[in-house]
Every structure is written in C-alpha cells, then in structure tokens.
C-alpha cells in the first residue's frame, strides 16, 4: 500500500512538472504569423480596392450599397471549403474522444473488492483492480440532422468492446417551449444522473446512486418531453417513458413493454451576478425483476424512487469558484423475493434512503473537493416475510479530492475514499489517480 | 386544476403578442450596446455575459437558458468565442426561433473580416480560435458592418418598424464617422505594447501600433514564472510604451511586470460596462484609445 502510494505520488508530480513547451512550436508559430501577416496585407489591399469600388457604386446608386458587405462572407466561406475534401468540414459531425483512465490502490485484496457489496441494498461489488485501470475511451458525436433535429451519440470503448451508451435525437422546432428527446439517453432524474462520468466532480458515483441504480445511473431507451414555461424564473418540467432495462432498479424481464416512468421539475434563480441556485424534486417508478438484492434470489415487484436535488454555484471569476451540491434519494419497493436454491418465495418490502453532499472549491487551475455519502439516513426498513431485518452499521463513505486542470481539455485528479459501505469491520481505503483527456470538438456541458 | 390551465393559457397569450417590443438577447455587453443604437426603445435587451466576466469561460446558467427561451432574436459574437456554453443555451432554450439558420439567430461575426485565421491549428497551441481572432469589437469598420447586419435583422423580424431601424443605422453611421475623425487624431502609429491576451489585434491593425508579445504564453494558458522572466527580458530590450491588460484578465501580471521594469501598465475595460465610464460602445472605444495614448 505504502509503496503504491509512493509510486502514485511520483507519477503525479511527474505529470505536473512535465509541461515545458518546445521552442520548435514557437518558431513555427512565428513563421505562421508572418505568413498570416503577409496574407493580411494582401487582403487589406483587396479591401481597399473593394472600398473604392463601393464608393463608386454608392455614388451611382443606393440599391447596390449593401452588396459589398457580403463579399467578405463569401470570401471566408470559400476559404473554408477548399481542396478535395474541403466540404467535409461542413458535412462531418463534431467528433471527440475522451480518455478516462486511473491508477487504483486499495488495502483490500482483489477477492475482497469483487465481493464488496452493500448488504440490504445490492450484491454488486467493486470492479476496480489494484494498479492501472482503463475506464473507457469514449467517443462523442453530435450534429444537427436537419433544421428540425439534433443528433447525439456516446460510444464508450472499453477493453470489453464498444457499446452504444447513448444515441438520441432532440427536437429544435417544437413551439411553446417544448422539446422532445428519443432514443437511448441518460434520464433527467436528479442531478448527477444526466452528467457524463468524465464531468463528475469525483471519480465514482455517490453511494445512494450505486445502491439504488448501479454504478452508471439510469441510461435507458425511451422518450422524454420537457417544457420550459416563460416564467420570471427558470422552471423546467420533464416526463419520461423508459424501457426499464436497468438491472438494479428495474430489469429487462420485468415486463415486455416500457415499464418505467419519471417526472421531474428543476427550478433555478440567480443571486446577484455570481451565484446560482438550482433545485427540484424528481420521481421515478416502475416494475422490477432483479437478482441483485441478495445472493441466490430473484425479486419481482414495484419500485419508486423520490429524489430531491440542490446545487449552489458561486463563480465570481474564471479564477475562483465554489460548488455545493447535494441529493437525497428515498426508495420504496415491494414484491416477492424468491430463493432460487430453496425454491421458496417470501414477500419483501424495502423503504430505504440515502444522501450525498459535496463541496468543490476552485482556485486558478486547482480544484479541491470533499464528499460525504451515507445510506439508511432516516429510513432503513428491509421487511422480509413480515420481519424487519436489522443490518446494523450504517453504510457511509468520506472522500477527498485534489485536481489540477492544465486546460479545459485535461484533468489530473487525486482522490481518496474512506469507504465503510460494506457494513463490516473492514474499511476500504482507496487511492485513485485519475487522468481525463479530451480531443476533438466536444459539446458544451450543461450547468 | 382548471385555474392553472387558464393561467398557462394566459402566459402563452402574453408571451407572443405581435406588436410588443422585440426581445433581444445578446451574449456580450458590446453587442447589446450596438443593438441599443439601432433598436432604441423598440427593443428590449437582455445581456447574458456580465461586463466583468471572461467571455471565453461561462456556465450555461439556467437563467440564461430562460432568457433565450423568451427571445425573439439571439445575437452573439461568433468565431467560436462562446462555444463553451452558447450551443447548450440555444438547444436547451426549447425556442425554435433562435436555432441556427433561423432569422432569430444572428452570428455577428458573419459581417466582419476575421484576422489571424490560422492555416493549421491544434490545441498544443493553446486556445487558438480556428476561425480567426474573435475580438473584433474594437474595430470601427467591422462594427459598422455589424450594425448594418443588425438593422437588417431587426427589419426582418419587426417589418413594421423597418424604417425606424434604417434611420437609426444612418444616425449611427454619422455619429461613428464623426467619432472616427476624433479617434484618428489620436495617433498610436508606431507605438509598441505588450498585452496579456490577443485582444487588441484588430485595433492594432486599424491604428498602426504593434503588439510585441503576450504575457499569456499561449491563449488561455496563464504564464509560468519562466515565461514572466522572458517577458521582463523582452520589455527591457524592446522598451514598449506600455503593458496592457484588462480588469478581467492579466491585471495582476501586468502590474507586476510594470513594477519590475518601470514600463507603465495600463488596465483597460474589455467590454462595455467594465468601468463606470465605458457605458456604451463609443465611450468604451474612447477609453481604450485614451488609455493606450
């Protein structure tokens, strides 16, 4: 553990001390600038001629006066689309690739990590391995389809292959503040769910999300309708019909039809120029069939999650900022739990909740963050065949994080987790050094 | 329930009356200032980026999305300056009228002639804008074209008042011609400066001064200690007239360089409203030109 920690530290310092820029690029830049300047002169001379012509024209007649203005635009366009494949600039979608990789170190052994679940919530363990991990190289594509639709796709490529994580269209033509989204997409439920992992403030998802819907949140095939009324403050209303494939919360076999629904509202207002508050409730309900509640069981029933989100952002300048973010989730579930070994079925009713709260402080290119997540906060009912199982030991985790962002396209993050989520005496002390790099044209991130 | 439905219907009805003032949303303050010259009391302007904010970096705040939702026309700088947030604002606004390609979507850079368009670019050069230098708002001849583009756009959207907008454009042209006489007498020809960011290239071209170097080693990347030392060397050797920065970016660095070298530092407003006196585009230009003198 110690040695690995030292190794991580060395890599980290190496990463920080690396950027010394070659003078080669500098000289090439200079040469480029010179070329540009000489081109600029030519353009200016041409502009002069154009201006003279324009003056002559405006003297001879007023109607033609507006024509010369369009000249530069035409010139600019023709410069853009030249060469054999010049038009591809206009026809290719925006493409970006984001590499998300991390080094991981835990005091626990591989076998312990694999089986490190949250009793009473989920049997899913931790996939990280001590040493080097590749989260994914994620391909993003987006472009307008036509004047009516925009298209987005997210294709993470992992060592297991490529998958279509998201592929959806968004309408741009609907009136009355309506927008329709269809395909496979991240649900608008809650706050963190719709963000991409590379945009998270910490390497991993908060405990309540992991416990209720798994490590990636709710990504489903379905349809979404949002409505933004023209009120005096921001209020976004959304509803979704989802297939319900998430195998922790719903399960593809629960029903052979769309069987999950969400509804949410998000309200926001600014306090002065620098501060913004965003908050709102969400609800998600659907049919469940899952084997992830306890070993050798299968559960069928109904599930509902209620969520409350709150975000406060303070951003007085590019150099400084602070974000306080919290979400509270409450899940109720009832149905039948079948023991697949003993072939017996009991009724199961679960009402459980969880919360995370995190703060991020940014100064210049550094960001410092802390997070606390907890389950069984106010409610921890696990009633099997009429008897409430007492699991003891509230699952919780504390996280600290330090980030250096050389530019908006690169991120180096050191994170420490003190994880007591498995309800045993063992603590999982995790250390992560995460690197995120993005190339290409990446879409703007939401607030 | 019925009461709420009635309430929403009323909101819809009030949201789109044909004869009300044109709702204009601009990203940068200077765009709002030019729009005001052309639209006067026939338009209602909301500006998304605050004068003391760096226009390269902003969040797509929900309040901005809401403003875009209600807009008849969205006017922006373009040349990728607002790429980090504006596409998100436009799509999330759920407003079909301001989508790209519609009359309510006005990219002001379409009326100007960009300079410093790199023939090849990658991000190892820093935050270089592949479409050219986006800071054209200090260039009177470009601004004139933008004002004309705005007048056309307003006339398209609000045809009833087309003559009003044309008339205001003429007034603007006359006023600018007057001002330019005054400005051109402030000779900056042959002067040399060190700047923090590539903000004054259009101005340098129009007024014949030179920017010798930048405190930022590459656009968008803050200077290292080593680069500052190089700058000090350069300043001692080339003896520029001033080190210039804005209140938003580089003030601290410029003042530190000034202390170390004795060359004066000038902190200028980068947009309308950044100082009390720069209350519109004309006074912004005035202040910058006086500052450089």
């Amino acid at each position: 553990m110690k040695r690995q920690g030292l190794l991580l530290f060395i890599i980290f310092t190496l990463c920080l001390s690396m950027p010394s820029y070659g003078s080669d690029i500098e000289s090439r830049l200079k040469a480029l600038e010179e070329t540009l300047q000489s081109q600029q002169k030519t353009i200016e001379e041409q502009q002069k001629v154009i201006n003279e012509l324009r003056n002559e024209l405006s003297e001879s007649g007023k109607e033609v006066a507006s024509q010369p203005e369009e000249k530069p635009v035409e010139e600019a366009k023709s410069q853009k689309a030249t060469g054999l494949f010049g038009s591809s600039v206009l026809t290719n979608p925006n493409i970006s690739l984001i590499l998300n990789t991390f080094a991981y170190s835990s005091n626990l052994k591989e076998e312990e990590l694999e089986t490190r679940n949250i009793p009473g919530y989920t049997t899913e363990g931790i996939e990280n391995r001590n040493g080097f991990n590749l989260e994914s190289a994620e391909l993003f594509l987006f472009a307008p389809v036509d004047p009516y639709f925009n298209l987005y796709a997210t294709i993470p490529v992992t060592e297991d292959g490529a998958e279509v994580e998201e592929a959806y269209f968004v309408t741009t033509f609907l009136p009355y503040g309506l927008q329709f989204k269809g395909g496979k997409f991240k649900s608008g439920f809650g706050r963190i769910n719709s963000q991409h992992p590379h945009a998270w403030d910490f390497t991993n998802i908060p405990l309540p999300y992991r416990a209720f819907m798994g490590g990636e949140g709710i990504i489903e095939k379905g349809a979404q309708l949002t409505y933004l009324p023209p009120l005096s403050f921001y209020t976004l209303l959304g509803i979704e019909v989802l297939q319900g494939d998430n195998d922790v919360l719903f399960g593809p076999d629960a029903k052979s039809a769309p069987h999950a629904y969400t509804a949410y509202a998000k309200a926001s207002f600014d306090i002065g120029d620098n501060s913004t508050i965003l908050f709102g409730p969400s609800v998600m309900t659907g049919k469940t069939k899952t084997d992830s509640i306890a070993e050798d069981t299968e559960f069928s029933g109904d599930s509902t999650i209620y969520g409350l989100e709150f975000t406060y952002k303070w951003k007085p300048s590019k150099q400084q900022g602070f974000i306080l973010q919290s979400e509270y989730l409450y899940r109720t579930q009832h149905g039948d739990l079948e023991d697949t070994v003993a072939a017996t079925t009991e009724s199961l009713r679960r009402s459980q909740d969880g919360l995370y709260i995190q703060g991020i402080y940014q100064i210049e290119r550094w960001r410092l963050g802390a997070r606390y997540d907890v389950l069984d906060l106010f409610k921890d009912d696990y009633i099997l065949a009429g008897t409430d199982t007492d699991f003891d030991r509230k699952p919780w985790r504390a996280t600290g994080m330090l980030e250096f962002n050389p530019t908006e396209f690169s991120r180096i993050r050191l994170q420490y987790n003190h994880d007591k989520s498995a309800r045993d005496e063992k603590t999982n002390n995790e250390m992560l050094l995460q690197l995120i790099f993005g190339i290409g044209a990446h879409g703007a991130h939401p607030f | 329930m019925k009461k709420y439905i009635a309430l929403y219907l009323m909101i819809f009805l009030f949201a789109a009356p044909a004869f009300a003032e044109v709702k204009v949303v601009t990203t940068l303050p200077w765009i709002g200032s030019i729009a005001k010259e052309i639209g006067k009391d026939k338009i209602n302007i909301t500006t998304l980026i605050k004068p003391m904010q760096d226009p390269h970096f902003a969040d797509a705040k929900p309040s901005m999305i809401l403003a875009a939702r209600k807009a008849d026309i969205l006017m922006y700088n373009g040349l990728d300056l607002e790429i980090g947030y504006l596409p998100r604002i436009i799509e999330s606004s759920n407003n079909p009228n301001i989508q790209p390609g519609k009359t309510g979507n006005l990219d002001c850079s379409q009326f100007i002639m960009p300079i410093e368009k790199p023939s090849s670019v990658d991000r190892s050069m820093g935050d270089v804008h592949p479409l050219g230098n986006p800071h054209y708002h200090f260039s009177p001849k470009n601004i004139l074209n933008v004002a004309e583009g705005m007048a056309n756009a307003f006339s398209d959207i609000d045809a009833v008042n087309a003559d009003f907008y044309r008339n205001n454009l003429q007034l603007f042209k006359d006023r600018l011609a007057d001002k330019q006489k005054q400005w051109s007498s402030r000779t900056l020809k042959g002067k040399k400066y060190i700047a923090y960011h590539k903000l004054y290239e259009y101005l340098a071209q129009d007024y014949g001064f030179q920017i010798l170097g930048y405190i930022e080693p590459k656009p968008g990347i803050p200077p290292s200690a080593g680069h500052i030392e190089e700058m000090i060397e350069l300043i001692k050797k080339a003896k520029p007239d001033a080190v210039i920065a804005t209140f938003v970016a580089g003030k601290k660095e410029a003042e530190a360089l000034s202390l170390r070298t004795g060359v004066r530092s000038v902190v200028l407003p980068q947009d309308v409203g950044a100082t009390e006196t720069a209350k519109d585009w004309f006074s912004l230009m005035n202040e910058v030109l006086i500052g450089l003198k």
Side-chain angles (χ1 to χ4, degrees):
Chain A
M1 172 64 199
K2 251 190 189 165
R3 219 183 257 174
Q4 276 158 344
L6 188 69
L7 188 67
L8 283 174
F9 179 71
I10 291 170
I11 295 175
F12 187 60
T13 33
L14 271 179
C15 286
L16 294 191
S17 57
M18 248 166 25
S20 66
Y21 302 99
S23 57
D24 177 44
I25 297 174
E26 219 103 302
S27 63
R28 274 164 61 192
L29 257 183
K30 249 183 207 152
L32 258 180
E33 265 168 31
E34 278 165 20
T35 331
L36 271 176
Q37 272 165 5
S38 71
Q39 282 176 347
Q40 195 52 51
K41 263 184 197 158
T42 328
I43 292 168
E44 271 169 54
E45 280 161 20
Q46 286 171 344
Q47 187 65 38
K48 259 185 205 161
V49 179
I50 292 171
N51 283 344
E52 281 168 21
L53 283 173
R54 185 186 297 177
N55 287 341
E56 280 172 33
L57 278 173
S58 61
E59 276 163 26
S60 57
K62 259 194 176 172
E63 289 86 343
V64 274
S66 67
Q67 262 179 355
E69 259 88 61
E70 283 160 24
K71 268 269 163 62
V73 186
E74 274 168 26
E75 259 170 55
K77 268 187 190 157
S78 65
Q79 276 171 12
K80 215 184 285 171
T82 52
L84 194 51
F85 301 107
S87 61
S88 64
V89 174
L90 301 170
T91 51
N92 274 349
N94 296 286
I95 299 174
S96 62
L97 182 81
I98 294 188
L99 171 66
N100 186 344
T101 181
F102 61 92
Y104 179 81
S105 164
S106 163
N107 57 318
L108 300 183
K109 295 194 191 73
E110 311 280 276
E111 312 87 74
E112 290 173 300
L113 288 172
E114 261 169 54
T115 56
R116 194 169 168 87
N117 53 29
I118 313 175
Y121 284 91
T122 175
T123 53
E124 295 206 338
I126 296 170
E127 282 177 18
N128 299 346
R129 293 289 164 264
N130 279 310
F132 296 108
N133 291 257
L134 177 69
E135 180 72 36
S136 69
E138 217 166 2
L139 207 54
F140 289 86
L141 294 104
F142 74 95
V145 178
D146 53 28
Y148 313 107
F149 302 99
N150 290 345
L151 192 71
Y152 292 80
T154 310
I155 304 166
V157 183
T158 64
E159 285 158 304
D160 303 328
E163 61 168 315
V164 181
E165 186 178 280
E166 285 182 287
Y168 61 88
F169 67 87
V170 173
T171 61
T172 57
F173 68 95
L174 289 182
Y176 306 122
L178 295 169
Q179 188 181 73
F180 187 80
K181 188 190 266 193
K184 189 181 178 192
F185 54 87
K186 287 173 178 285
S187 166
F189 175 96
R191 170 121 182 107
I192 247 173
N193 195 75
S194 59
Q195 293 175 351
H196 286 113
H198 72 259
W200 290 348
D201 293 316
F202 296 88
T203 306
N204 40 17
I205 205 163
L207 272 186
Y209 273 89
R210 193 189 144 210
F212 293 145
M213 19 183 141
E216 283 162 356
I218 299 291
I219 311 171
E220 293 276 352
K221 295 183 282 287
Q224 177 193 72
L225 185 71
T226 59
Y227 172 50
L228 182 61
L231 304 173
S232 53
F233 62 94
Y234 177 92
T235 320
L236 181 75
L237 306 170
I239 48 168
E240 293 167 345
V241 180
L242 307 171
Q243 190 63 25
D245 285 344
N246 182 288
D247 48 16
V248 176
L249 186 62
F250 301 122
D253 300 328
K255 203 178 163 202
S256 66
H259 52 268
Y261 307 88
T262 74
Y264 53 86
K266 291 166 204 287
S268 171
F269 55 88
D270 292 342
I271 305 170
D273 284 352
N274 302 330
S275 299
T276 302
I277 282 179
L278 175 74
F279 62 98
S282 297
V283 60
M284 176 155 54
T285 186
K287 297 268 172 224
T288 302
K289 189 161 191 171
T290 180
D291 57 3
S292 69
I293 292 181
E295 292 297 333
D296 302 320
T297 65
E298 185 157 85
F299 173 84
S300 333
D302 298 294
S303 306
T304 303
I305 298 189
Y306 304 93
L308 269 179
E309 61 177 280
F310 174 85
T311 303
Y312 168 79
K313 247 193 205 189
W314 176 70
K315 193 94 179 79
S317 73
K318 178 191 153 197
Q319 285 84 15
Q320 210 183 1
F322 175 70
I323 309 169
L324 182 71
Q325 181 177 323
S326 180
E327 280 185 79
Y328 172 76
L329 300 184
Y330 178 93
R331 198 257 333 263
T332 65
Q333 198 170 49
H334 60 89
D336 299 321
L337 190 71
E338 188 194 336
D339 189 322
T340 48
V341 179
T344 54
T345 300
E346 310 273 16
S347 79
L348 175 68
R349 179 178 286 273
R350 294 200 290 176
S351 301
Q352 297 160 310
D353 66 354
L355 173 118
Y356 77 87
I357 181 160
Q358 65 185 45
I360 311 286
Y361 179 70
Q362 176 236 332
I363 180 116
E364 307 277 333
R365 295 194 276 177
W366 294 88
R367 295 193 341 140
L368 187 67
R371 178 178 69 183
Y372 173 72
D373 358 22
V374 62
L375 296 172
D376 288 357
L377 184 62
F378 303 118
K379 196 85 171 162
D380 59 347
D381 292 352
Y382 186 100
I383 304 167
L384 187 62
T387 326
D388 192 357
T389 313
D390 189 7
F391 282 100
D392 210 21
R393 290 202 180 92
K394 243 174 222 194
W396 65 276
R397 179 173 66 183
T399 303
M401 172 286 272
L402 178 67
E403 245 175 42
F404 180 67
N405 298 290
T407 63
E408 47 192 311
F409 308 108
S410 51
R411 169 164 290 170
I412 300 157
R413 175 186 286 149
L414 193 65
Q415 181 174 322
Y416 167 72
N417 299 330
H418 183 81
D419 181 2
K420 296 281 242 179
S421 65
R423 302 193 198 255
D424 55 13
E425 289 106 82
K426 279 190 182 138
T427 305
N428 183 9
N429 285 305
E430 301 176 293
M431 199 74 169
L432 298 105
L433 177 69
Q434 188 183 21
L435 304 170
I436 302 175
F437 301 113
I439 53 174
H442 191 63
H445 282 140
F447 176 72
Chain B
M1 191 62 201
K2 263 186 190 161
K3 219 163 88 185
Y4 286 110
I5 292 172
L7 187 74
Y8 276 126
L9 280 177
M10 270 165 67
I11 291 165
F12 281 139
L13 290 176
F14 284 115
F19 30 77
E21 46 190 19
V22 179
K23 288 195 209 68
V24 180
V25 170
T26 74
T27 52
L28 306 185
W30 73 260
I31 303 175
S33 171
I34 305 295
K36 190 87 212 156
E37 300 282 340
I38 307 299
K40 298 218 163 96
D41 58 340
K42 296 275 192 281
I43 62 170
N44 178 335
I45 301 170
T46 308
T47 300
L48 301 182
I49 304 295
K50 303 292 174 239
M52 289 303 277
Q53 215 175 344
D54 189 326
H56 301 83
F57 301 91
D59 277 333
K61 283 188 194 180
S63 58
M64 298 178 179
I65 294 168
L66 180 68
R69 157 73 173 95
K70 299 178 190 170
D72 296 312
I73 182 166
L74 171 73
M75 305 197 293
Y76 52 98
N77 186 91
L79 298 180
D80 284 358
L81 181 68
E82 301 104 330
I83 192 134
Y85 45 95
L86 193 60
R88 172 65 57 172
I89 291 173
I90 293 174
E91 188 184 282
S92 304
S93 72
N94 293 12
N95 180 350
N97 304 323
I98 60 161
Q99 301 298 320
K102 294 291 175 63
T103 42
N105 181 304
L106 192 76
D107 174 358
C108 295
S109 72
Q110 67 181 291
F111 307 111
I112 72 123
M113 189 68 194
I115 61 170
E116 295 187 325
K117 201 170 132 182
S119 51
S120 82
V121 65
D122 67 58
R123 284 189 188 141
S124 63
M125 301 166 185
D127 191 14
V128 173
H129 294 271
L131 301 176
N133 187 321
H135 306 294
Y136 54 83
H137 65 295
F138 289 132
S139 165
K141 70 170 185 232
N142 282 319
I143 288 302
L144 192 64
N145 291 342
V146 171
E148 188 149 352
M150 280 183 187
N152 288 336
F154 287 152
S155 307
D156 281 350
I157 284 181
D158 184 21
V160 183
N161 293 311
D163 288 342
F164 175 77
Y165 299 126
R166 299 238 156 271
N167 192 35
N168 289 345
L169 175 65
Q170 196 50 52
L171 292 176
F172 178 78
K173 279 181 174 172
D174 296 344
R175 186 166 168 213
L176 183 58
D178 260 13
K179 277 279 176 189
Q180 265 187 300
K181 266 178 228 152
Q182 195 186 323
W183 289 339
S184 58
S185 68
R186 289 191 220 292
T187 75
L188 296 173
K189 200 156 242 151
K191 291 208 182 245
K192 292 176 287 186
Y193 303 97
I194 300 285
Y196 185 80
H197 184 66
K198 280 178 161 275
L199 200 53
Y200 308 98
E201 321 314 303
Y202 288 90
L203 199 64
Q205 197 188 38
D206 287 3
Y207 288 86
F209 62 84
Q210 240 189 315
I211 309 281
L212 300 174
Y214 302 95
I215 305 175
E216 279 183 327
K218 317 217 161 176
I221 293 177
S224 60
H227 185 75
I228 292 283
E229 290 307 316
E230 280 171 32
M231 276 293 116
I232 289 171
E233 283 305 302
L234 178 67
I235 292 172
K236 281 183 178 156
K237 227 191 296 170
K239 300 198 172 53
D241 293 276
V243 179
I244 46 182
T246 67
F247 292 97
V248 171
K251 182 171 181 270
K252 201 175 65 187
E253 288 85 351
E255 280 167 357
L257 277 177
S258 171
L259 266 182
R260 296 265 312 259
T261 59
V263 170
R264 87 189 160 108
S265 69
V266 183
V267 183
L268 300 171
Q270 89 290 352
D271 206 330
V272 172
T275 59
E276 250 174 61
T277 38
K279 50 191 189 309
D280 62 12
W281 179 79
F282 286 106
S283 46
L284 172 72
M285 281 296 289
N286 257 338
E287 202 162 322
V288 169
L289 289 169
I290 289 170
L292 287 174
K293 182 110 182 141

